[in-house]
């Protein structure tokens, strides 16, 4: 191809992985006169190309991984060279030219992995060197003068040489940050220079024969040290100096003789990696848990047993890798399985018998190695984990769960959600209308509507001409049917750049293939008469805000698609910006003055068109005959080869593309999958690139047509296809270049291809790439790339094509994003795979379950019910409403008799104890209610009314710690007597502590006291028990009726809250006075609750006690703070009471469901076999019981995430965080939501 003139503007190019031992080095490189950097790694060159020595401006040269023995004398001509990387070559001392290190700008010298036997003699002259790498050579000695001039070094690597000493001048390197001395026989070197290197951060002395005798003294003075490697030495213990380095992040002490670690390791709070493998450790120190930043711990090949690993290892919350292979472990501490971030657990070659059951619950565990443990019995994996797929076929997206719950999905960003209709408010409005004088207004409005309707019906002709409109009458009159429709949300970011219109100035776009492309600044104001343009003016208005004006310019000879798209995208641009202006149409030769004023240099018309139309042309396309060899089964790779019969091979499949005819030639021993995929590729080519006009022929070997033989140059001799000579060559590794454009220069770096496999995500829509496959060169153009970089890429692809030796049939192809050729897609793994096959299904499963995977997945979808999460929180009951409701229930109450269980029988409860309950006892309350009788129809009110009916309800109350013996005693004694007396008018209600219904609570008029322990027996022989401190909290949950005064044990000042009232009884050791009772009133407590607390105190404690009311902040030291255990911090607000909600997650119904507990919930509502979700307004806790299944835990976790997403939308001002709460380990932020939190009620087995 002809020269494009672009090479002088190239500033950098990467020719790595090109085999210049087979093809010649491109001579065009010497034309790149502005080249600043050049990559020639893995190119098989044996000497520096002469063209490189002519690049006077070259600054960065990489020659790594080649076979270079000598650096030419011409290297000294590179006066601007600052970085020289020659690692992994064959360079000797004779191959280093004199004067190379006299280059003044040389700052990086990498001569590692070569054959140097001594330091190059001129190296001390390179005063500007910052990085020096001489590793993996055969250097025996460092000259003393080496470090006299190189004072600015901050990286030195001298590993893998034969050094026995280091020059004393090393101490002059005060800026040195990294020093690597690995694998050198420094047995006699004391390394006294190290303490002078005050900036040192990394020190590697692996296999340098370090002992305690020759270990460098004063190492603790290097306070910046973060990385130390002392592996493969003879250290019997950790040197004391290391225990003083608090900045350590990585420490490698493997392959030593260390037998113990000191407790002083707690200094290493920043340590992230600790390697102690292959030592003689018997136990790890108990202070191991103080390494709070530790992520990787290696203790392989030691003598550790179960006791050698401290149980508190579970406090290493960031631990990701724990490797303890080849030890004496029989078990591992359960605490290790509580490291929630653990990813790798290596335990092979031990004596393991079993592992903790919770090992299966580690959420991020990826690798578990327990090989060579012959006696190991793995804990059973839960059945739910073995069938995990059955439980994860659930869509937990917020909108899907809202749809299943019957609620409206949340609107997308920018949409207005329709107001929620409140049916209760509507009923209240109708009631006010009925009670007021608005009925006449409603009738008047209906009459007016009827008159209007009659007026319209008078003219029959008008009705026939006017179409019928269905409307809804609202407060503002009839509404159109389409007013409730929402516009579809368009993502304008796919059309325009996100930052458009944010900087004042002028921006222009041209229409190409239905889409706008931005115009470079130099071309703004130059209009092609066959194109259309959009012009945006961004300015700052009088209010100091951004404002915009939009024009679209129509050329005289523009095609229809360009005209329409210019108008459409001008409106899209206005919508994207949210501008209030209108879009102004401007036609060629008819522009107004406002439009002319936009351009300082005026406008210019240019003949012709610059952009392509989006319409297909009807011109006949000339196709080139191409032959591709298909290889591979998982993903088919199409490799271009000469279109002649000698390329055919009976072991492969070939695709012959002649344009309107596609031939798939199938060799005798080729694979059927390759054949099928190649045929489908040809069908894709026909559909996407040939508009379904091509014919496809599948030709098995031996059934070729005469036309096929003619296209490939005739049949082979004796019509037998043999192995092709070209099949012996392997596939050429593709090279992907990214074109970079700067101010007056071009860069052509290579994109790193992971595992040598191209994937689609490597391509960025804002960039342009060149894919070099030797026989095919593709230029891929992103949708959002600029026009200048596209033009530069096309010219660079031509230069790249011509400067490399290629076969004659090679070609350059252009690919637009979204319209790539099928051959281009086959170069990438997983891009548009033409044959998705499920190899896991058998013929029997297809017959049994069907072939449609979508139907199977829908049928197997697990049923869930999360509707409770989206219901609004139940509002609290007001004081007036509670008083009204309680008075109605108490008016119906005719009488109440109370009994308590004493021994094995129920006795009457003394009247003074009514309302005081003990958690170890059981109580029975017989309540008689009047039931009013309705008059029969036809009877008059003045006649004698019938007697009212009555109903008896027996409430059985059981304390939290009471046994079920009370219930059994009641069932076989009192209940039978009551049933005989009241027969069908009796109802029995069993209630547990703090789970009472409101009707029962209303009979105690808010004086409901719950004490811990057992009710004292009042008999003459009863011994007097010495009283202890008693502490009560008064609190109402959800309703004033549900007010309880619950005893809290043990008493602690941390349980106080400024919003509540408390009762504290401090006992005295005196016969005259039993103690003092404090009624503590919080600063924010309700006044009525304070009065109630005082009344309850007088009810519980009689004449032998002194009762004193105290306000918050007025507490006496004696006896309040002494009795409560001393002053401690406590809460001062109760905002959580406004937001508290408790949900239960369970699958007891046969499917996963979430239900909400009432506002009056308690600790006993936490079911041990379920997962609970608690929202306190700031955090959302996931409480996990001890008997919960793994399926419930994982589904509850997903449900909690959905709830947090929902709350984030409903209450954006109060974002929640998801926290875990394990049973028996709940945080105070969790327990404060429960009134009277104490010990759990344990069920005896």
């Amino acid at each position: 191809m002809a020269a494009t003139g672009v090479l002088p503007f190239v500033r950098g190019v990467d020719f790595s992985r090109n085999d210049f031992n087979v093809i010649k080095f491109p001579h065009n490189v010497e034309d790149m006169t502005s080249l600043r950097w050049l990559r020639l790694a893995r190119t098989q060159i044996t000497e520096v190309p002469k063209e490189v020595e002519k690049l006077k401006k070259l600054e960065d040269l990489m020659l790594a991984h080649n076979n270079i023995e000598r650096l030419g004398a011409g290297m000294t001509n590179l006066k601007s060279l600052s970085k020289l990387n020659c690692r992994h070559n064959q360079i000797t001392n004779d191959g280093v030219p004199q004067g190379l290190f006299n280059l003044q700008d040389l700052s990086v010298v990498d001569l590692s992995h070569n054959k140097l036997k001594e330091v190059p003699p001129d190296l001390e002259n390179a005063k500007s060197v910052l990085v020096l790498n001489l590793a993996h050579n055969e250097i025996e000695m460092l000259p003393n003068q080496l470090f006299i001039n190189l004072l600015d070094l901050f990286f030195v690597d001298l590993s893998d040489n034969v050094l026995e000493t280091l020059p004393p001048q090393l101490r002059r390197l005060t800026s040195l940050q990294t020093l690597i001395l690995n694998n050198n026989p420094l047995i006699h070197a004391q390394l006294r220079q190290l303490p002078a290197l005050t900036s040192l951060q990394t020190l590697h002395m692996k296999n340098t024969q370090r002992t305690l005798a020759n270990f460098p003294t004063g190492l603790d003075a290097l306070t910046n040290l973060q990385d130390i490697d002392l592996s493969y030495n003879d250290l019997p213990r950790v040197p004391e100096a290391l225990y003083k380095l608090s900045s350590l992040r990585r420490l490698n002490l493997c392959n030593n003789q260390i037998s113990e670690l000191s407790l002083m390791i707690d200094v290493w709070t920043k340590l992230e990696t600790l390697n102690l493998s292959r030592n003689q450790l018997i136990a790890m120190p108990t202070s191991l848990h103080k390494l709070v930043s530790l992520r990787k711990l290696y203790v392989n090949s030691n003598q550790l047993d179960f006791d050698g690993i401290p149980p508190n290892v579970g406090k290493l919350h960031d631990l990701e890798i724990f490797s303890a292979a080849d030890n004496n472990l029989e078990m591992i501490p359960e605490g290790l399985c509580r490291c929630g971030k653990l990813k790798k657990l290596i335990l092979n070659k031990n004596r393991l018998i079993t592992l903790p059951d919770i090992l299966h619950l580690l959420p991020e565990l990826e690798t578990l190695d327990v090989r060579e443990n012959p006696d190991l019995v793995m804990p059973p994996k839960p059945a739910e984990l073995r069938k995990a797929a059955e439980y994860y076929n659930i869509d937990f997206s917020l909108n899907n769960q809202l749809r299943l719950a019957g609620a409206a999905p949340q609107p997308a960003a920018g949409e207005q959600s329709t107001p929620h209709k409140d049916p209760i408010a509507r009923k209240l409005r109708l009631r006010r209308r009925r009670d007021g004088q608005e009925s006449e207004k409603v009738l008047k409005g209906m009459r007016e509507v009827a008159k209007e309707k009659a007026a319209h019906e008078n003219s029959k002709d008008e009705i026939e001409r006017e179409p019928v409109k269905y409307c809804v009458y609202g407060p503002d009159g009839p509404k159109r049917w389409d007013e409730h429709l929402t516009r579809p949300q368009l993502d304008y970011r796919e059309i325009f750049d996100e930052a458009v219109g944010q900087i004042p100035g002028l921006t222009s776009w041209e229409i190409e293939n239905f889409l706008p492309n931005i115009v470079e600044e130099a071309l703004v104001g130059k209009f092609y008469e066959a194109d259309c343009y959009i012009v945006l003016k961004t300015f700052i208005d009088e209010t100091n805000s951004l404002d915009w004006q939009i024009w679209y310019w129509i050329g005289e000879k523009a095609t229809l698609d360009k005209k329409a798209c210019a108008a459409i995208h001008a409106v899209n641009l206005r919508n994207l910006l949210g501008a209030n202006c209108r879009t102004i149409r401007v036609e060629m030769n008819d522009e107004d003055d406002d439009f002319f004023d936009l351009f300082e240099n005026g406008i210019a018309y240019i003949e012709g068109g610059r952009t392509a139309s989006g319409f297909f042309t009807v011109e006949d396309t000339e196709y080139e005959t191409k032959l591709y060899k298909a290889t591979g089964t998982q993903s088919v790779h199409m490799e271009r080869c000469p279109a002649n019969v000698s390329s055919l091979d009976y072991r492969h499949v070939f695709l012959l593309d002649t344009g309107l005819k596609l031939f798939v030639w199938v060799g005798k021993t080729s694979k059927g999958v390759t054949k099928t995929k190649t045929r489908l590729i040809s069908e894709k080519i026909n559909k996407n690139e040939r508009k379904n006009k091509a014919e496809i022929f599948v030709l098995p070997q031996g059934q070729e047509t005469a036309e096929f033989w003619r296209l490939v140059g005739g049949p082979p001799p004796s019509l037998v296809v043999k192995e092709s000579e070209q099949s012996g060559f392997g596939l050429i590794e593709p090279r992907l270049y990214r074109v970079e454009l700067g101010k007056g220069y071009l860069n052509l770096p290579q994109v790193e291809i992971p595992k040598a496999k191209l994937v689609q995500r490597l391509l960025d829509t804002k960039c342009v790439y060149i894919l070099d496959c030797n026989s095919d060169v593709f230029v891929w153009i992103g949708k959002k790339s600029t026009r200048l970089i596209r033009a530069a890429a096309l010219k660079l692809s031509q230069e790249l094509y011509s400067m490399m030796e290629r076969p004659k049939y090679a070609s350059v192809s252009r690919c637009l994003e979204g319209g790539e050729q099928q051959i281009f897609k086959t170069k990438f793994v997983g891009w548009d795979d033409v044959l998705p096959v499920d190899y896991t299904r058998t013929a029997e499963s297809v017959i049994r379950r069907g072939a449609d995977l979508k139907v199977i997945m829908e049928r197997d979808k697990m049923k869930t019910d999360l509707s409770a999460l989206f219901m609004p929180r139940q509002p609290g009951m007001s004081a007036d409403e509670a008083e009204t409701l309680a008075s109605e229930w108490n008016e119906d109450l005719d009488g109440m008799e109370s009994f308590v269980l004493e021994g094995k029988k129920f006795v009457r409860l003394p009247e003074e104890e009514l309302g005081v309950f003990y958690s170890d006892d059981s109580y029975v309350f017989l309540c008689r209610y009047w039931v009013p009788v309705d008059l029969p129809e036809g009877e008059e009110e003045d006649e004698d009314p019938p007697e009212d009916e009555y109903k008896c309800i027996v409430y059985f109350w059981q304390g939290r710690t009471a046994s079920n013996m009370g219930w059994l005693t009641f069932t076989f004694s009192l209940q039978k007597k009551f049933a005989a007396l009241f027969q069908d008018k009796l109802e029995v209600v069993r209630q547990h502590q703090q789970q009472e219904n409101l009707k029962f609570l209303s009979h105690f008029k808010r004086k409901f006291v719950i004490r811990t322990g057992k009710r004292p027996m009042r008999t003459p022989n009863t011994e007097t028990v010495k009283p202890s401190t008693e502490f009560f909290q008064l609190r109402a949950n959800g309703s004033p009726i549900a007010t309880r005064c619950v005893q809290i044990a043990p008493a602690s000042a941390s349980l106080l809250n400024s919003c509540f009232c408390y009762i504290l009884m401090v006992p005295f050791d005196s016969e005259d006075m039993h103690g003092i009772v404090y009624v503590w009133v919080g600063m924010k407590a309700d006044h009525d609750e304070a009065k109630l607390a005082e009344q309850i105190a007088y009810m519980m404690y009689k004449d032998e006690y002194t009762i004193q009311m105290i306000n918050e902040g007025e507490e006496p030291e004696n006896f309040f703070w002494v009795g409560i255990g001393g002053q401690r911090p406590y809460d001062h607000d109760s905002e959580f009471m406004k937001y508290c909600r408790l949900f239960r997650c369970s699958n007891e119904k046969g499917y996963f469901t979430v239900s909400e507990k009432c506002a009056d919930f308690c600790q006993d509502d936490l079911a041990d076999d379920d997962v609970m979700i608690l929202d306190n307004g700031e955090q959302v806790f996931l409480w996990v019981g001890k008997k919960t299944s793994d399926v419930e835990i994982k589904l509850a976790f997903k449900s909690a995430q959905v709830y947090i997403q929902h709350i984030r939308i409903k209450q954006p001002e109060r974002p929640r965080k998801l926290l875990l709460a394990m049973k028996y380990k709940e945080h105070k932020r969790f327990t404060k939501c429960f009134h009277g939190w104490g010990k759990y009620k344990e069920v005896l087995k």
Side-chain angles (χ1 to χ4, degrees), residues 347-567:
L347 300 171
N348 59 306
K349 293 185 180 179
N350 277 283
R351 302 176 183 176
L352 292 174
I353 299 175
T354 185
L355 294 172
D357 293 342
I358 63 174
L359 177 70
H360 296 298
L361 301 181
L362 286 172
E364 299 184 15
L365 189 63
E366 299 173 355
T367 302
L368 174 62
D369 190 350
V370 291
R371 295 172 298 167
E372 300 185 48
N373 287 283
D375 300 327
L376 175 63
V377 178
M378 288 293 293
K381 184 179 290 188
E384 293 82 2
L385 285 181
R386 294 197 296 267
K387 299 183 287 186
E390 296 181 18
Y391 298 95
Y392 295 108
N393 186 21
I394 302 173
D395 184 2
F396 275 101
S397 62
L398 177 59
N399 281 340
N400 181 67
Q401 293 300 329
L402 286 170
R403 180 181 59 81
L404 294 177
Q410 293 296 335
E415 289 186 2
Q416 296 289 336
S417 59
T418 56
H420 177 67
K421 295 182 178 180
D422 190 353
I424 298 177
R426 180 175 178 270
K427 290 181 180 179
L428 292 175
R429 287 196 302 270
L430 291 175
R431 186 176 298 174
R432 286 196 298 268
R433 287 183 181 180
R434 182 187 62 188
D435 297 340
Q437 300 297 326
E438 295 188 6
S439 57
E440 191 63 32
K441 298 179 182 179
V442 174
L443 292 175
K444 181 180 178 182
M446 294 177 65
R447 285 194 295 267
E448 292 178 354
V449 171
K451 289 179 181 179
E452 293 179 0
K453 185 177 180 182
H456 285 291
E457 290 178 352
N458 290 335
S459 178
K460 185 176 181 180
D461 296 336
E462 293 181 2
I463 295 176
E464 292 177 354
R465 287 195 302 267
E466 185 175 336
V468 178
K469 296 182 179 180
Y470 296 95
C471 59
V472 179
Y473 287 91
D476 300 328
K479 296 183 178 180
R480 287 177 50 85
W481 64 272
D482 55 354
E483 286 187 8
H484 297 285
L485 298 181
T486 57
R487 295 181 178 179
Q489 291 296 314
L490 299 178
D491 190 0
Y492 301 112
R493 293 174 298 178
E494 296 182 356
I495 305 172
F496 296 98
D497 189 67
E498 295 181 7
V500 64
Q502 303 304 313
I503 299 175
L506 201 63
T507 311
S508 180
W509 291 265
E510 57 189 356
I511 304 300
E512 180 179 13
N513 286 331
F514 306 125
L515 293 173
N517 290 327
I518 194 150
V519 177
E520 301 297 330
E521 291 185 10
L523 299 178
V524 173
K526 298 176 175 60
F527 299 100
Y528 285 80
E529 58 185 14
D531 289 336
C532 293
Y533 296 82
I534 300 173
V535 180
L536 169 67
K537 179 184 177 182
T538 305
F539 60 94
I540 298 177
D541 61 8
E542 298 175 353
T543 62
N544 205 23
S545 302
L546 288 175
D547 203 352
W548 303 273
Q549 290 180 339
I550 303 173
W551 291 265
Y552 59 99
W553 185 90
I554 307 297
E556 281 186 346
K557 299 181 180 179
T559 57
L560 181 60
D561 65 310
K562 293 182 180 181
K563 294 179 181 179
C565 290

Side-chain angles (χ1 to χ4, degrees), residues 865-866 869 1142-1148 1151-1157 1167 1169-1174 1182-1183 1188-1189 1192-1193 1195-1197 1199-1200:
D865 182 9
L866 309 184
L869 297 175
L1142 183 65
F1143 300 93
R1144 178 193 179 199
C1145 305
S1146 176
N1147 56 10
E1148 65 179 5
Y1151 60 90
F1152 183 76
T1153 180
V1154 179
S1155 57
E1156 183 176 6
K1157 293 288 184 178
D1169 54 354
D1170 288 325
V1171 181
M1172 313 298 289
I1173 298 175
L1174 176 70
L1182 194 69
W1183 185 89
T1188 309
S1189 68
E1192 288 179 326
I1193 294 175
L1195 296 182
F1197 173 70
S1199 302

Side-chain angles (χ1 to χ4, degrees), residues 285-331:
T286 56
S287 57
L288 179 66
H289 69 282
K290 295 185 178 180
L291 307 184
V292 292
S293 300
L294 196 64
R295 296 179 180 273
K296 301 176 182 179
L297 177 60
Y298 302 92
V299 289
N300 302 321
S301 302
N302 281 282
Q303 302 173 23
L304 299 174
D305 56 11
F306 175 77
D307 297 327
I309 301 178
N312 54 19
V313 69
K315 295 183 179 180
L316 300 176
H317 301 297
D318 292 333
L319 191 65
E320 297 178 357
I321 299 177
F322 181 82
S323 183
D326 195 13
N327 280 281
N328 299 322
L329 296 172
E330 295 181 350
M331 289 185 63

Side-chain angles (χ1 to χ4, degrees), residues 688-877:
N688 300 330
E689 302 174 28
R690 309 295 156 79
K691 305 171 188 175
N692 285 327
K693 294 181 179 180
E695 296 181 80
I696 300 175
F697 303 92
V698 179
L699 304 177
Q701 184 177 349
Q703 301 179 18
E704 301 86 354
T705 62
E707 183 181 9
F708 174 79
W709 289 128
R710 179 178 58 79
L711 292 171
V712 296
S718 67
L719 296 177
V720 177
V721 177
K722 301 180 180 180
E723 293 185 10
S724 174
E725 297 178 357
Q726 299 179 1
S727 298
F729 299 102
L731 295 177
I732 297 177
E733 183 180 348
R735 293 168 295 282
L736 184 63
Y737 299 90
R738 183 176 66 250
V739 182
E740 296 179 352
L741 179 63
K743 294 184 178 180
Y745 63 84
L746 291 168
N747 281 332
L748 197 63
Q750 284 195 33
V751 178
E752 184 178 354
I753 303 175
K755 299 181 181 179
K757 293 183 178 180
L758 287 168
V759 288
Q760 187 179 0
R761 66 173 180 270
L762 296 176
L763 304 177
D764 187 356
T765 185
K766 296 181 180 180
C767 301
V768 178
Y769 297 85
I770 299 176
L771 178 61
D772 187 356
C773 301
N774 192 35
S775 60
D776 283 308
V777 178
F778 300 94
V779 182
W780 186 87
I781 300 173
K783 286 183 178 179
K784 296 184 179 180
S785 59
T786 61
R787 177 167 292 279
L788 280 179
I789 200 170
R790 295 182 184 187
L794 292 174
K795 292 183 178 181
L796 274 177
S797 65
Q798 296 174 9
E799 294 289 354
L800 189 64
Y801 175 86
S802 61
M803 68 173 56
M804 301 289 184
E805 290 186 5
R806 304 181 188 275
K808 295 181 180 180
Y809 52 83
S811 60
V812 179
S813 303
R814 179 187 180 195
C815 301
L816 295 175
E817 183 182 3
E820 298 87 354
Q821 299 97 319
Q822 197 65 35
I823 299 300
F824 175 81
K825 294 179 181 179
T826 62
K827 307 294 182 183
F828 293 76
V829 176
W831 188 342
D832 196 18
D833 193 3
V834 295
L835 188 62
V837 179
D838 185 3
Y839 292 100
T840 63
R841 302 197 62 198
T842 62
E844 292 78 6
S845 67
V846 173
I847 295 173
R848 186 176 69 255
R849 310 189 66 194
D852 193 340
L853 288 176
K854 292 184 179 179
V855 175
I856 295 174
M857 296 292 284
E858 186 66 27
R859 185 172 63 243
D860 292 349
K861 185 178 292 184
M862 183 177 178
K863 182 182 177 182
T864 58
D865 182 9
L866 309 184
S867 57
L869 297 175
F870 311 118
M871 300 295 292
R873 184 178 183 271
Q874 182 181 359
M877 187 182 296

Side-chain angles (χ1 to χ4, degrees), residues 895-949:
M896 182 170 69
E897 298 182 33
S898 52
F899 305 86
V900 62
L901 182 66
E902 284 189 1
K904 296 183 180 180
K905 63 178 181 178
F906 283 92
V907 298
R908 289 190 178 273
L909 183 70
E911 186 176 352
E912 63 271 13
E913 293 186 31
L914 185 64
V916 180
F917 298 80
Y918 287 84
S919 60
D920 281 358
D921 289 325
S922 299
Y923 297 81
V924 173
F925 296 88
L926 174 61
C927 299
R928 178 186 173 99
Y929 296 96
W930 292 111
V931 180
V933 178
D934 296 332
L935 289 175
E937 293 184 3
E939 290 192 11
E940 298 181 359
E941 295 185 0
D942 53 358
E943 297 181 3
D944 294 335
E947 294 183 359
D948 288 341
E949 296 289 337

